[in-house]
Amino acid sequence: MTDNAESLPIHIVGGGLAGSEAAWQIAESGHDVVLHEMRPVRGTEAHHGGDFAELVCSNSFRSDDANGNAVGLLHQEMRTLGSLILRAADAHQVPAGGALAVDREGFARAVTAAIEGHPRIRIVREEVEGLPPEAWGRTIIATGPLTAPSLAQGIRELTGAESLAFFDAIAPIVHRDSIDMGKAWFQSRYDKVGPGGTGADYINCPMDRDQYDRFIQALVAGDKIGFKEWEASTPYFDGCLPIEVMAERGPETLRHGPMKPVGLTNPHDPTVKACAIVQLRQDNALGTLYNMVGFQTKLTYSEQVRVFRTIPGLENAEFARLGGLHRNTYLDSPRLLDATLRLKARPSLRFAGQITGCEGYVESAAIGLMAGRFAVAEARGEALAPLPATTALGALIGHITGGHIAAEEAGAPRSFQPMNVNFGLFPPLDHAPKGEGGKRLKGPEKAVAKKKAMTDRARADLAAWLGHGPAQIAAE
């Protein structure tokens, strides 16, 4: 590739969370971008419109706690680096306890308006069939888990590797006014107050033991969406299992998972402890729609209506959207990508978002953010120092580009799997945190102190990477 770097725009294929963030980072740096998005010219199994950064599953960006949660720390780091996705999320948040959840339509419109209004971004509404042409030069592929078949085939032909796939299921959305609040109630778990919230941000529907047992039986016996032959051996991602798949793992699985009753008290019957509780989270700014938390499903539409209306409080539920299922595809990134997300077989191509093997909205956008920064630095002939592995961004990229244990046996299934950001991806602390007077900490107190020490270390190391002081980073 000839390198007239400053005159060639950087091309991006895909206008989801990762592609939109990459485009924004590149354009804000003063470099031109051509953003290719096939919607609405060609749709996908999960998207409904043509807006950039459309959310197709949950409307939650998960915990916003930057001191005790890895994804909350990732939020903070992205805000520090000028993330468009976090800016739009903050502007369109809805109450969700300790989580950052958004009005999905307002959020997507805000991202779209920012992209369309940037003078350095040119938008091309077309499907890129096969691999991008060499003449484009530096290109970021951010086509996500629903990559068009022709492009996926081009990647396979270039790398000689088959991409693995998993299923990602979508939870139903219920009209708020169809929920019986004589049985349900508002409360966040442990009354926790999050961004834009009050501590009473979820609708809770309780079940006694008999109701729960019948519900589990109905889930397991219900009619499911059939699989095509090529889908039959595709594994699920454990972070987004269909609820009926969790139920099949054992009758107690759900009441210790998304239907756990801890931290909640039914004001209609405060002396009785529920066996299980279904939670619904606000899905739009008006508060007229609520999604069923953890209820991703592959039940048929008719079965969803029948089974979910057995939940106390949802007997007359009206569904704005029923659950669904789509196939996700991702690369064997540790083998195929270098430390700056370039394809080793063709370094002019970078990858970003879920196709790299990260999982989650925030993680996808974070990888897009860094792919954009890597591409700009390379175009300018600059050396961008590797992100510290102690930061959330660095830990996530480390996982994608080699932070897994490879299978040692010849012919064994490859071990790389999609992953949300979590403290297990971070290097361990040099010293265990101590209490006052050097007191050794135990139990929950130790866990809280450890997370705080890891997030403090991350902020300091990101500050050093950026050349700022820690206090300035914290303020940003």
Side-chain angles (χ1 to χ4, degrees):
M1 181 183 70
T2 58
D3 199 4
N4 50 342
E6 288 298 331
S7 62
L8 280 178
I10 295 172
H11 289 255
I12 299 174
V13 183
L17 291 157
S20 298
E21 186 65 72
W24 184 257
Q25 293 291 323
I26 295 167
E28 284 290 277
S29 77
H31 203 99
D32 290 334
V33 179
V34 180
L35 178 58
H36 304 260
E37 170 54 52
M38 69 180 186
R39 294 178 297 114
V41 176
R42 183 181 183 278
T44 74
E45 299 96 321
H47 293 88
H48 296 286
D51 279 343
F52 295 114
E54 180 183 333
L55 305 183
V56 298
C57 189
S58 167
N59 70 324
S60 175
F61 283 52
R62 312 198 315 281
S63 174
D64 202 48
D65 179 2
N67 292 315
N69 189 286
V71 76
L73 175 64
L74 187 58
H75 290 176
Q76 185 181 61
E77 292 180 2
M78 292 173 68
R79 290 181 179 116
T80 297
L81 295 178
S83 167
L84 171 63
I85 295 302
L86 264 293
R87 188 183 80 180
D90 288 337
H92 293 275
Q93 67 182 22
V94 295
L100 173 60
V102 303
D103 177 334
R104 66 178 74 227
E105 292 184 1
F107 166 79
R109 284 196 300 265
V111 174
T112 301
I115 295 293
E116 290 179 341
H118 202 293
R120 288 196 173 274
I121 300 176
R122 181 164 68 92
I123 298 166
V124 180
R125 296 281 185 173
E126 65 177 8
E127 179 181 354
V128 176
E129 297 186 358
L131 289 172
E134 298 259 8
W136 282 6
R138 292 182 177 87
T139 301
I140 297 172
I141 296 177
T143 46
L146 301 177
T147 296
S150 62
L151 178 53
Q153 182 59 28
I155 295 167
R156 284 192 289 266
E157 291 174 356
L158 179 62
T159 61
E162 286 294 320
S163 295
L164 288 186
F166 59 96
F167 284 107
D168 196 11
I170 300 171
I173 293 177
V174 179
H175 288 280
R176 159 69 180 83
D177 59 8
S178 70
I179 301 172
D180 183 356
M181 298 306 294
K183 298 179 179 178
W185 74 95
F186 280 99
Q187 185 185 7
S188 299
R189 201 175 303 280
Y190 301 110
D191 302 308
K192 187 171 183 178
V193 178
T198 64
D201 303 325
Y202 291 78
I203 294 177
N204 301 277
C205 300
M207 287 184 177
D208 61 26
R209 169 52 73 174
D210 288 343
Q211 291 167 332
Y212 176 76
D213 288 343
R214 289 196 299 269
F215 179 73
I216 295 301
Q217 292 169 9
L219 277 180
V220 173
D223 293 335
K224 281 67 169 196
I225 297 170
F227 293 117
K228 298 177 183 177
E229 183 178 351
W230 54 266
E231 296 173 328
S233 62
T234 304
Y236 292 107
F237 169 56
D238 277 349
C240 202
L241 284 174
I243 192 164
E244 61 277 2
V245 172
M246 287 188 273
E248 290 168 356
R249 294 185 171 185
E252 297 297 293
T253 302
L254 288 176
R255 64 183 301 268
H256 292 285
M259 294 175 64
K260 58 182 178 286
V262 299
L264 299 165
T265 300
N266 184 355
H268 305 303
D269 200 355
T271 63
V272 175
K273 185 69 175 177
C275 173
I277 291 176
V278 175
Q279 288 197 304
L280 295 95
R281 180 178 55 234
Q282 185 175 333
D283 199 76
N284 65 344
L286 295 175
T288 56
L289 299 177
Y290 276 71
N291 65 63
M292 300 177 68
V293 177
F295 268 61
Q296 303 88 355
T297 182
K298 61 187 181 75
L299 289 172
T300 63
Y301 284 175
S302 60
E303 286 291 78
Q304 288 181 51
V305 173
R306 181 184 69 83
V307 174
F308 295 157
R309 282 182 177 168
T310 67
I311 297 170
L314 300 186
E315 293 91 344
N316 298 306
E318 295 295 332
F319 296 92
R321 185 189 73 185
L322 288 163
L325 189 70
H326 57 273
R327 181 179 186 263
N328 286 356
T329 303
Y330 65 98
L331 298 171
D332 187 2
S333 294
R335 191 175 65 81
L336 300 178
L337 304 183
D338 70 11
T340 66
L341 306 170
R342 294 186 305 179
L343 189 67
K344 295 173 185 176
R346 184 174 151 185
S348 62
L349 297 181
R350 272 187 172 81
F351 285 82
Q354 277 187 261
I355 196 171
T356 65
C358 66
E359 177 61 25
Y361 292 150
V362 182
E363 290 87 340
S364 296
I367 299 303
L369 185 155
M370 289 310 304
R373 287 183 168 237
F374 286 140
V376 168
E378 183 182 52
R380 292 176 174 172
E382 300 171 353
L384 188 63
L387 277 160
T390 51
T391 65
L393 284 162
L396 190 59
I397 289 180
H399 164 69
I400 289 169
T401 60
H404 74 302
I405 300 173
E408 296 181 358
E409 301 83 7
R414 79 187 193 208
S415 58
F416 180 62
Q417 293 290 329
M419 183 74 73
N420 293 114
V421 67
N422 63 83
F423 285 123
L425 302 181
F426 290 60
L429 295 167
D430 293 332
H431 304 285
K434 303 287 186 181
E436 292 184 9
K439 175 186 174 184
R440 183 179 178 183
L441 302 176
K442 298 180 180 179
E445 192 178 15
K446 178 181 178 181
V448 170
K450 180 180 177 181
K451 291 175 181 178
K452 180 63 165 59
M454 294 183 83
T455 56
D456 285 346
R457 179 184 66 177
R459 280 185 284 273
D461 289 352
L462 183 63
W465 185 75
L466 288 172
H468 294 303
Q472 183 175 350
I473 292 294
E476 292 175 356

